[in-house]
Structure formats: structure tokens, C-alpha cells
Amino acid sequence: MTFSLLPAFRLLGILVAIAVSIFAPAAYAQSQPDPLKIAMVLWRGETNVEQGFRAYFDENSIAVDLTIYDTARDLSRVPAIIDQIRKDPPDLVYTWGTGITSAVVGKYDAVDPVQNITDLPVVYVMVSSPWKTGIAAPAGQSRPNVTGAAHIAPLPAQINAIRAYRPMDKLGVVYNSREDNSVSNVADLTELGREMGFEVLAAPLGSNGEPSQDDIPPAVAELARKGADILYIGPDNFIGNYRDTLTDAGFANGLAAFSATELEVRDGHAMLGLVSRYELVGRLAASKVEQILIDGISPADIPVETLDRFSYLIRLSSARKLKLYPPLSLLDYAEVIE
Amino acid sequence: MTLSANPDTKPDTPTSPHGGNIRSRLFPKGTIWILLLFSTISLCIALVGISWRAAELARADLQTEIREKAGIEARVLGEKIENALRLGIPLREIVGFETVVYQLRNGDPDLVFAAITDKAGDILHAGGLSSDEIATALKAPSGNDTAYIVTRLDLPRAEGQDDIEVVLGHARAALMRPVTDNLYDIAIIFIITLALSFELMLLVLTVNVALPVRVARKVLDNVRDRKFTLLHGQSTHDEIGQFMERINSLINTTAKKVGTHPQREREVKLIGVRMLAFMFVLAEELARPIMPAFFSQVTSHSIDGQLGAGVVMAVHLLMVALAMPICSLFQEQVGSLRMYLCGAFLATLGLIGTAFAGGIWDLVLWRALSGIGYATTFVACQSYVLDATNDSNRTQGTAMMVSGIMLADICGPAIGGIVAGHFGPDMTFIAGATIAFLAVLLAFFLMDNMVRGKTPPPIPTRAALRAMLGNRRLQVLILFAAIPAKLILSGFLYYLTPMILLQSGATTAETGRVIMLYGLVAILTGWAAAKWTDKNQNETRAVGIGGGLTAAGLLLAGWLPEYALFAVAVALLGLAQATSIPAQLSASLKLSKDFTKDHGTGPVLAVLRLAERLGGAAGPLLAAGLTLLVGTTHAVLIFGAFAAVSVLCFELLIGHVPPEQKNEGGTK
């Protein structure tokens, strides 16, 4: 039996050798894959998040072809951008912030295949409350094409960070009542206040149409009059746009500002913040892109995550203006910005 | 110690239940008191002197250590201040200095205050104490008699700015802390040294002086009466022995002339049993404070460690309970010496095996062996005392053995705690085994193989036994007093107390001290409690009071489980047991007087002992089960509630002892 099979094996060997000689160049070509084609829909151009995103691919020698779509803080541009994306479909869509992400992927239970992207994987960043805003599906469910990286520290940790700097019983919040994530954040803070023993003094803007920059100073003055100990800047695009107006109003009224996001301290004048470093958020998002496009894992199987370490930022120039210097013990671990 | 009676030295002294001659029986007369006082004071002076010298020698080293520590702390504070200044925070605007000092004090309890001062000495920032208090402390003249050790660190600043100083104050009392920490150990070693010295002196003086002299007196009285029938048989090789050898030869010569045949007269060395009882209990008690934790650790591979420890301790006590009556049956045939040798040998094996046990099964085996050894040596000592004494000195003989046991109860856990702290649990068991082995060797010298015979106890009929067991009041005594007392003793004192104290961070030495309190209080209050009981002739009342005290202590410890309150609870338990246990014995005999007048006290005592031992075996099991279910603290509370319910049932069901029983009991 062995004897009779020998010619058959020999024939098989010859065939394999021929196949290898024919297909080897093609296989070699495939080991140098095309760059990952990623469409990035951004709120206000590139930030440190995108720098971290790019750095991750560079360091891991993953070629990427990034197409930037900047909305320039205008959500009405999103439908047109989606149309453009559909004309030249990328491998994955990257979205920045709650507003853009919500417009691109819709709410988990109200997806419109015409208006929202459903056939491409989407990775979002800088969405402060993905579950509250319906961008992420509730626990136990998942979205087939959407995952992302959140960036906000848990609210109790934020309150403890404020209290590590100075005592706080009344937290003043100026926010845009037309932004879902701001409204839900203020509701969460109010509930937390009952547990942790502080009162939220809320100053909603935009209850009579779109809010304007001029609404901010009187709102801050009113909070100061009510006895607010500190101003809270949450994940609010409107306040983010006019952060300096808010902090200047704070200085005028002797109120410091705490921020849950990095830029308000690093680029603005908020006195302190407990934040996720934007660059690290970008890297976290990039690792999710790698899992989807290289490892072939479905977005539905990749959890929405936040970083587990946060940076305590102190802007000393603001502290000096208010004569509210940081306690000695904070200087051991805070990042002090002049 | 002073409660120990010595029948060897005063066999004929009349006894009185009301304490008439008790003082002369219990306390030695004459110059021995002066000697005792002199040796005690000498020992005290020596120990105090050594402690003081050790403290003085340690002081210099400790001062250096504190200065180094203070230097590090000052640099830490200085770096924080410099960092703040570098960031541009104005010196006087620095915030949170107090918090940083508070954090430093958490890591160094000796640090009392810290401050930042300018060159003029003005305090800019203060922590630990107020600025005024620190200023007062800093103004005090330096020297070794100030309350604080002050450390200063200069912080030079940029030109045009005044230099500042970090000032730290450490409590000078910290220099004595290691000594004060060890003071308890020194005190315990002092007590134990006194106790052991007393034991050794008692043994040596009795064997070498008291017994030979007493026999010599008998022989010389015999000669004075011109009988020439006795020779001195108490062999010693000292002056007394040599003198009596000459007397013996004179008696022999004279006896030949008068035609008599003199016999050698000697007395049993009953005192030896005290040392032997002391040793076999000490061997077992050494490891008492570490037993639950050690057993938990060894058994944790097989079952839940806490349950494992409970099972192992229960098996040990169960084996003691079972072995005691069985040994009693064979005691007549085997003899006390051989029985003691077997028991001590088994205990040695058991303790060595325990030290090297690797799992639950071999540990159970070794502890069972230890239990059999303990029971065997106990029965051997007890029967030796009963055989070597007569009606006139039996109580004293038993008291002597019991005092040896109590002394070991006191010394064992305390010494064991210190040994375990320094050398580990396995070495503690090996130390126990070494003592048990020494007991084997000593038994040859301390236990006479031949003791006087005694009348066999009357054999009870089956009907009489049934009647005794059917005695309702005896049942109440056993169910609601005897069993709960031992159950609580083993479950609370031997299981829960070490477990909780060690878990709450107490050292093994501290745990040993608390357990030692039980024996100490029991031995110090036992005599007064017994005297009170005898005087009032109301044993059941004493049993009730003991139960009440136990319940109060346990409920207190369960309610507020702190070290000091545990010590109070253990002390209360000692008082309770000292009040209750002897009273239980007397009460059981009184309640069974119909039986005992015909058949002796043996069966009643056997039933009582068996019930007690079974209670003792159930204690650790119950404690381990409760610990698993509700945790250690709640387990103590439940034990307290159990004690309270037991004493309530006892008081409700026992009834009052009729006056005629009181009277009979009073004359017993």
C-alpha cells in the first residue's frame, strides 16, 4: 500500500512547488498592507487627542491614511461630511465629541440608516457620557459598528479633587441647557451632592433660544452672590467655546474654576482640573481601531472604556490671581502649569 | 503560690472548713518569711536594676535613631516648602502645612509638632500643636529633661530673602518606649521567675530537708521510747543523711542487743507530684496563645482554616475526655509511675508531631496523641495523690496538685507567647515537647513507685447509678453549669480570645498575657471565693454567681471587642470559674448525698468530669462554627447570651438547697 501511494505524494509535491512559485510574489505584496483608511470628523480641528492617535500608529509601525473633516464647531456640516464619506468609504470613521458622534451614529435605539453611518465601523472620542446620551447601548447590549473611548473622571473623584484643594459646599455650574450631556451631567451632580454633602447651584443658559457669550458673566455673578465656592466646567461644548469668558467672570467675582476636561486648564484659565490627558485618550482610541481593523474584532465586542488614571492639573497663574494657592500635599502629585 | 498546701511538711495539722487553722496550714512559719521577703526584694532590685541599665544603654542608641528619623522628616518637609517657594507661592501664603504634619505623624507617632520659623524665631506655619504651644516648647532650655527632642533644619533662601528653618519636636518619652513596651514582659518574667523559684525551692527543701528531718524525728522518737524498731530510710547523702546513717548503725547495734529487727522508715515524696503536674500542664499550655492561628494555618489547605482549628482543638479535648475514664480503669494495674511515664512520653510525641504537622489529618493525630498523654498524666498524678494520702491530708494533697496545675496555667501561655514571638509557633511546640520529655526523666526521681495502698471504693449497684443519674437537680447542675462553664472556657478563652486578639493586631506575647490573666485571677481569688462559699454553705449560689460573672464578661467583650475589655472579660472569667468550679464539685456531692454515703464520691465526680470534658470539647467546635457563620465578635456575643441563658435556667431550675443539706455539707 505504501509503495502504491509514493507516486501520488511525489505528484502532490511538484504541484505545491509550482503553486508557491506562482503565488509567492502576490503573497509578499500582501504582507505590505495598504494604509488603514480612516475618516476623522473633528469639532475644532486637530487637538492633542489626534496627536496621541497618530503617535500610537507611528510607534506600532501601522500605516494609516487619515482624512480630516473639520466641522469648525458647526454641527450642521455633519450631514454633508457623511455624504462625502459615503462617496469614498474609508475603513473606519473617527468622531470627536458628543455632538458630532451623535450626529454620525445616532442614538443606539434610534438609528437612521439614511442619516447615520451604519455600514462602517465608528470609533468615537471625547464623549463624556456615552451611556447617558444614548451613543453607547446600555449594559448587556452593544452596537454592531460603534465603540469608543470616554474621557471624564468619575464624578465622585472630581468632587474629591475639588475638596483636596479647598473646602466646597456649594458648586456653581453654568451650562448650556440645550446640550444633552450637560443636562445629564448636572442631574448627576445634583444627585451626587445629596450623597457627598454639597449643593449644586445651577445656572442653565439657552432656555430662551441659543445661548450667547454675553449670558455667561451675569450667570457667574449670580452664582457668586448665592455663595458658590467654585465654578464647575463640565463636558459642555458651549462653555468650552467661551471658557475664558467664564473664567474671567470667575476672577471678577473671586471664584475659581474646576474643569473635568484638560483644555480648560491647559489652554484656558481654569484653576484646577481632574482630567484624562487628551493624548492618552487618543492612544486608547487608536488601540480600539487596531483591534477592529487589524485583529478583526467586531466593534460590538470591544467595550466602551475610559482611562483608569487621571491627571490633577493646577494653573498657578489663576491661583495667584485669586490668592488661592494649592495645599502642599497636592504639589506632590499635581501637574502645575504656570 | 501561697495557697499551695504542703502535706509533706505538716501532715497532722487539723483542718477546718471555716478557716480556723487554715492560716497555720497554708502559710509557713518563722524565718522562712524573712528569707522569702529577702529573696523577693533581692530579685526585684536585680530586675529593676537590669531594666534601668538596659534603658540607659538603649537611650543613647534610640536618641541617635530618633535624630536620624527626625532629620529625614525635616528634609521631607523642607523639600515640600522649597517646592512651593520654587513655584512662586509666597512663604506666608503656603497652605496645608498642618495636613502634611498630620500625615507625617501618622507614620511616626513620636512626632509631636513641626513648624516653619524665620530667623527671628517667629513661627510662620505650625502643625501638631498650636503656634503658641510650639513657641513655648522652643523657648524651654535645651537639655535631657525637656519634654521634646527638637530638631532644626536650615532652609537657605535666595539673596534678599530671609532664611527659614524647619523645626520638629519629638516626644522625649519615645526614648523609653521600647522599654515600656517590654515592661509587661519583664513583669511576667518576674512573676514567673518567682513562681518557678518557689516551686524549685519547695521541691528541694521538702525532698532534702523536710522529709528526711520528719522521718529522723520519727526514728529518734522511736529511740527515745526505747523501741529500736525504725531505721531512717529517707536516703540523702548530705549531713542529715550521714548523721542518720550513724544513728541507723547505732540502732542496728542496739536492736541486735535487745533482739528486735528494725525496719526502714520512709515517706512518700508527695511534693514531687506538684512539680510533675506543673510540668505536664506547662508542656501543653505553652502553645495555648498560638494554637488557633497555628492550627488554622496548617489546616487551611484542606478545609476552612478556622473550622480546621476548631476541629483539631475539639479532637484534642475529646480525647482528653475519653482517655480520662479509661485511664482510671487501668490505673490500679499499671501504677502511677508507669502511667505517668507513658502519658508524658505520648505528650512528647504529640507535641513534636504537632510542631512538624503538614496537614489536617496528621495534625489531628498528633493532637489526639497529646490529648491522651495529657489525660494519662493527669490521672496518674491524681491517683498518686489519692494513693499517697489519707483522709487527714487528702484535700491538701489534691490542692497541692491543683496549685501546680494552676501555676502552669498562668506561666505556660505567658512564656509561650514570648517564645512564639521570638522563635515561631513550631519552636513553641518543640519547647513544650522538651518539657514533657524532661517530665519523663524527672518522674523517675519524683514519683515513688510504691505508695501506700488504699481501700477500694465500694462498687455502686446499677440501680444506685441510675438513681444518681436521674437526680433532677444534679442534671440541672451538669447541664446548665458544669457543661456551659467548660464549653465557654475552651470556646472563648482558648479559641476566640487568641483568634480575635491576634487578628486585631495584638502580639502573641500580649495575647499570652491576656490568657494568663485567667489563671492569675483564678489563683488569686480562688481561696477567697472558696472561703466565702464554705462560710455561706450555699454552693449553688456560688455556681450561679460564677455563671452571671461569665455572662457579664462575655457580653461586655462581645459588645466592645477591644484589647482592654477582653482582658476584663478574661479576668471576670477567671473570677467566675474560681467561684463556680469548686462549688460545682461540692454541690454535686451534696446533691448526690444519698448515693455518695453508700458508694463514695468517685462515680459522681467521674460523671461530672466527663460532662465537663465533653463541654470542653464542644467549645472550640461551637466557636469555630459561629465564627464562620457570624464572625468572631458576634460569636463572643452569642457565647455571652448562651452563658446568660444557662445561668438563668440554672437559677430557675436548681431550687434552694434544703437547710439539712446545708448542714450536712457544712460538716463534710
Side-chain angles (χ1 to χ4, degrees):
Chain A
M1 212 168 144
T2 310
F3 185 73
S4 62
L5 273 177
L6 196 59
F9 275 119
R10 198 170 288 163
L11 180 64
L12 189 65
I14 293 164
L15 288 174
V16 166
I18 293 167
V20 165
S21 65
I22 292 170
F23 295 109
Y28 177 74
Q30 281 198 352
S31 71
Q32 295 278 310
D34 292 335
L36 304 177
K37 206 173 158 188
I38 299 169
M40 303 178 87
V41 189
L42 306 180
W43 172 245
R44 49 181 167 81
E46 286 199 43
T47 63
N48 285 351
V49 186
E50 286 69 46
Q51 281 181 17
F53 190 77
R54 286 175 190 273
Y56 181 89
F57 293 117
D58 283 349
E59 285 163 15
N60 290 285
S61 303
I62 300 169
V64 285
D65 174 10
L66 305 178
T67 309
I68 308 294
Y69 297 95
D70 187 0
T71 60
R73 304 174 196 256
D74 184 358
L75 283 180
S76 64
R77 294 183 182 181
V78 173
I81 291 171
I82 290 175
D83 286 344
Q84 277 183 283
I85 288 172
R86 281 182 175 147
K87 279 179 196 160
D88 180 17
D91 296 323
L92 182 141
V93 179
Y94 168 102
T95 58
W96 199 105
T98 305
I100 290 175
T101 307
S102 196
V104 171
V105 299
K107 290 186 192 302
Y108 80 97
D109 54 352
V111 179
D112 179 355
V114 179
Q115 291 183 10
N116 305 131
I117 290 178
T118 54
D119 51 352
L120 292 172
V122 177
V123 170
Y124 56 80
V125 293
M126 304 303 286
V127 173
S128 55
S129 311
W131 292 277
K132 292 263 179 192
T133 49
I135 289 173
Q141 298 179 47
S142 61
R143 299 191 65 169
N145 67 320
V146 182
T147 187
H151 64 293
I152 299 290
L155 287 180
Q158 293 181 37
I159 299 302
N160 286 332
I162 295 172
R163 285 177 164 171
Y165 199 108
R166 60 193 308 258
M168 186 279 289
D169 296 320
K170 290 182 178 176
L171 187 69
V173 190
V174 182
Y175 68 101
N176 181 3
S177 61
R178 302 169 81 86
E179 290 186 37
D180 288 351
N181 51 337
S182 284
V183 174
S184 80
N185 197 46
V186 171
D188 289 348
L189 276 172
T190 307
E191 195 179 327
L192 184 66
R194 283 191 278 273
E195 279 175 36
M196 295 183 73
F198 65 91
E199 185 186 348
V200 173
L201 304 177
L205 305 179
S207 43
N208 304 312
E210 282 296 324
S212 81
Q213 185 179 0
D214 298 337
D215 296 340
I216 295 174
V220 171
E222 178 64 11
L223 290 179
R225 197 187 58 75
K226 286 181 178 171
D229 295 308
I230 197 164
L231 292 173
Y232 177 90
I233 304 176
D236 185 304
N237 285 332
F238 172 77
I239 297 295
N241 288 342
Y242 302 109
R243 62 192 180 214
D244 290 349
T245 310
L246 183 93
T247 48
D248 286 347
F251 292 143
N253 290 281
L255 279 179
F258 167 88
S259 175
T261 47
E262 186 179 9
L263 287 186
E264 279 66 27
V265 188
R266 205 174 282 286
D267 296 346
H269 299 286
M271 190 177 76
L272 69 155
L274 187 71
V275 302
S276 295
R277 298 270 299 272
Y278 277 17
E279 193 204 335
L280 298 179
V281 176
R283 285 172 181 271
L284 179 63
S287 72
K288 291 181 187 299
V289 172
E290 183 186 17
Q291 284 179 295
I292 295 166
L293 297 183
I294 296 179
D295 301 337
I297 301 172
S298 163
D301 297 330
I302 299 172
V304 175
E305 286 174 305
T306 185
L307 294 168
D308 54 3
R309 290 191 174 205
F310 302 96
S311 299
Y312 198 113
L313 301 185
I314 294 172
R315 176 161 282 286
L316 207 57
S317 54
S318 302
R320 204 174 286 127
K321 258 185 204 167
L322 291 160
K323 290 202 180 303
L324 292 174
Y325 292 103
L328 279 180
S329 50
L330 268 186
L331 297 179
D332 289 340
Y333 55 87
E335 182 185 341
V336 179
I337 304 161
E338 188 48 51
Chain B
M1 288 186 306
T2 49
L3 293 181
S4 57
N6 185 357
D8 290 332
T9 52
K10 301 244 350 143
D12 303 327
T13 306
T15 60
S16 159
H18 300 291
N21 273 329
I22 280 164
R23 190 175 172 78
S24 61
R25 173 166 60 82
L26 284 170
F27 298 102
K29 286 178 179 175
T31 51
I32 195 162
W33 275 114
I34 298 166
L35 287 172
L36 184 67
L37 199 67
F38 177 73
S39 55
T40 307
I41 292 171
S42 304
L43 198 57
C44 278
I45 291 170
L47 283 172
V48 167
I50 290 166
S51 306
W52 187 258
R53 182 67 187 140
E56 282 298 310
L57 290 173
R59 190 185 278 260
D61 289 344
L62 287 169
Q63 185 135 1
T64 313
E65 254 180 49
I66 285 181
R67 288 213 177 281
E68 282 173 9
K69 190 170 61 175
I72 294 167
E73 287 166 349
R75 279 196 292 281
V76 168
L77 273 178
E79 279 167 15
K80 285 180 191 290
I81 297 292
E82 282 176 336
N83 185 29
L85 295 175
R86 203 167 34 246
L87 288 169
I89 299 174
L91 178 60
R92 288 178 186 274
E93 305 285 337
I94 284 173
V95 184
F97 183 79
E98 268 182 61
T99 312
V100 174
V101 175
Y102 176 78
Q103 287 164 353
L104 273 180
R105 290 183 69 194
N106 275 346
D108 175 14
D110 298 332
L111 176 67
V112 180
F113 67 82
I116 304 294
T117 64
D118 59 17
K119 273 295 164 192
D122 291 338
I123 293 170
L124 307 174
H125 295 284
L129 294 178
S130 71
S131 297
D132 291 343
E133 286 169 320
I134 294 175
T136 312
L138 294 180
K139 275 176 196 158
S142 59
N144 285 339
D145 52 347
T146 52
Y148 305 108
I149 301 168
V150 175
T151 309
R152 295 170 188 272
L153 176 74
D154 280 334
L155 289 184
R157 296 184 69 199
E159 228 169 89
Q161 289 175 308
D162 289 338
D163 290 349
I164 52 173
E165 214 174 33
V166 179
V167 184
L168 267 69
H170 283 81
R172 193 170 291 280
L175 291 175
M176 292 301 283
R177 192 182 305 282
V179 179
T180 48
D181 283 350
N182 285 326
L183 214 57
Y184 287 113
D185 285 347
I186 291 173
I188 284 168
I189 290 169
F190 176 66
I191 293 170
I192 290 166
T193 313
L194 277 180
L196 292 180
S197 310
F198 182 83
E199 283 299 306
L200 282 173
M201 288 294 285
L202 194 66
L203 180 72
V204 170
L205 286 175
T206 307
V207 171
N208 292 312
V209 181
L211 280 184
V213 166
R214 195 187 313 153
V215 175
R217 185 179 169 183
K218 266 189 196 169
V219 171
L220 292 173
D221 283 349
N222 186 265
V223 171
R224 189 188 60 195
D225 297 341
R226 299 171 186 280
K227 288 181 181 167
F228 305 105
T229 52
L230 295 178
L231 291 171
H232 192 268
Q234 207 77 34
S235 60
T236 55
H237 303 291
D238 52 13
E239 284 74 8
I240 300 173
Q242 287 165 12
F243 173 74
M244 288 313 293
E245 274 306 308
R246 282 192 217 111
I247 298 288
N248 277 354
S249 62
L250 280 173
I251 293 171
N252 272 328
T253 314
T254 316
K256 271 182 196 165
K257 285 180 186 168
V258 297
T260 55
H261 297 283
Q263 300 293 315
R264 283 194 171 263
E265 171 70 12
R266 63 191 294 268
E267 280 195 15
V268 175
K269 287 183 283 191
L270 193 52
I271 187 69
V273 83
R274 178 180 170 122
M275 179 57 81
L276 293 175
F278 173 79
M279 289 185 79
F280 82 75
V281 178
L282 185 71
E284 181 64 30
E285 290 295 319
L286 266 188
R288 180 69 67 203
I290 49 150
M291 274 182 191
F294 180 73
F295 295 163
S296 286
Q297 188 196 335
V298 174
T299 57
S300 59
H301 306 298
S302 311
I303 53 172
D304 179 274
Q306 291 185 342
L307 184 64
V311 168
V312 171
M313 290 173 78
V315 165
H316 173 262
L317 291 169
L318 193 68
M319 291 315 292
V320 174
L322 294 176
M324 272 192 181
I326 296 170
C327 290
S328 301
L329 289 178
F330 294 104
Q331 184 275 328
E332 292 281 330
Q333 290 93 325
V334 179
S336 299
L337 176 61
R338 272 192 288 177
M339 181 161 271
Y340 188 90
L341 290 175
C342 287
F345 184 67
L346 286 177
T348 307
L349 276 185
L351 287 164
I352 286 183
T354 305
F356 296 104
I360 186 165
W361 296 116
D362 59 332
L363 185 62
V364 163
L365 176 78
W366 295 122
R367 291 305 295 157
L369 215 57
S370 286
I372 296 170
Y374 183 91
T376 312
T377 44
F378 187 92
V379 169
C381 285
Q382 197 173 40
S383 57
Y384 183 82
V385 170
L386 293 178
D387 287 350
T389 52
N390 52 39
D391 289 343
S392 68
N393 62 355
R394 186 156 294 151
T395 318
Q396 298 169 57
T398 310
M400 188 176 65
M401 181 186 125
V402 169
S403 62
I405 290 172
M406 289 303 279
L407 197 63
D409 275 336
I410 294 172
C411 298
I415 301 175
I418 296 168
V419 173
H422 285 91
F423 304 105
D426 41 0
M427 281 308 291
T428 314
F429 281 103
I430 289 174
T434 310
I435 291 171
F437 184 69
L438 274 177
V440 172
L441 300 179
L442 274 178
F444 283 110
F445 302 102
L446 296 179
M447 210 176 235
D448 285 299
N449 202 20
M450 292 181 65
V451 294
R452 286 181 294 234
K454 66 190 220 24
T455 321
I459 299 164
T461 60
R462 195 172 290 179
L465 269 178
R466 202 177 299 132
M468 179 194 81
L469 293 172
N471 182 334
R472 189 184 62 83
R473 297 178 67 203
L474 184 66
Q475 288 169 356
V476 169
L477 180 79
I478 287 172
L479 281 177
F480 297 114
I483 292 178
K486 291 291 175 188
L487 188 147
I488 287 164
L489 182 70
S490 62
F492 172 71
L493 185 69
Y494 298 149
Y495 186 95
L496 289 172
T497 301
M499 186 78 92
I500 291 174
L501 291 181
L502 290 173
Q503 274 173 1
S504 65
T507 62
T508 47
E510 285 167 343
T511 308
R513 283 201 287 269
V514 169
I515 295 175
M516 173 185 166
L517 259 183
Y518 163 77
L520 198 63
V521 172
I523 207 164
L524 289 176
T525 59
W527 170 243
K531 194 174 168 186
W532 181 86
T533 310
D534 277 348
K535 191 179 166 193
N536 291 288
Q537 282 300 302
N538 197 344
E539 289 81 1
T540 50
R541 178 68 65 227
V543 173
I545 290 171
L549 286 172
T550 305
L554 263 64
L555 289 172
L556 183 72
W559 183 41
L560 293 168
E562 289 166 16
Y563 184 82
L565 288 176
F566 255 84
V568 171
V570 168
L572 274 177
L573 187 66
L575 176 61
Q577 297 262 328
T579 313
S580 171
I581 301 298
Q584 281 177 27
L585 189 75
S586 308
S588 68
L589 295 178
K590 270 191 186 180
L591 296 175
S592 324
K593 69 180 177 55
D594 292 341
F595 178 87
T596 54
K597 74 181 174 197
D598 293 331
H599 306 288
T601 57
V604 178
L605 295 183
V607 168
L608 186 72
R609 294 279 180 244
L610 185 65
E612 280 182 343
R613 298 287 167 182
L614 289 176
L621 269 185
L622 190 65
L626 286 173
T627 302
L628 275 182
L629 285 176
V630 295
T632 44
T633 312
H634 285 103
V636 174
L637 266 182
I638 293 174
F639 263 75
F642 171 68
V645 170
S646 296
V647 72
L648 208 64
C649 291
F650 177 80
E651 284 293 327
L652 289 174
L653 298 173
I654 195 70
H656 293 290
V657 179
E660 65 274 15
Q661 280 195 14
K662 273 191 182 183
N663 294 336
E664 284 167 20
T667 54
K668 208 177 256 295

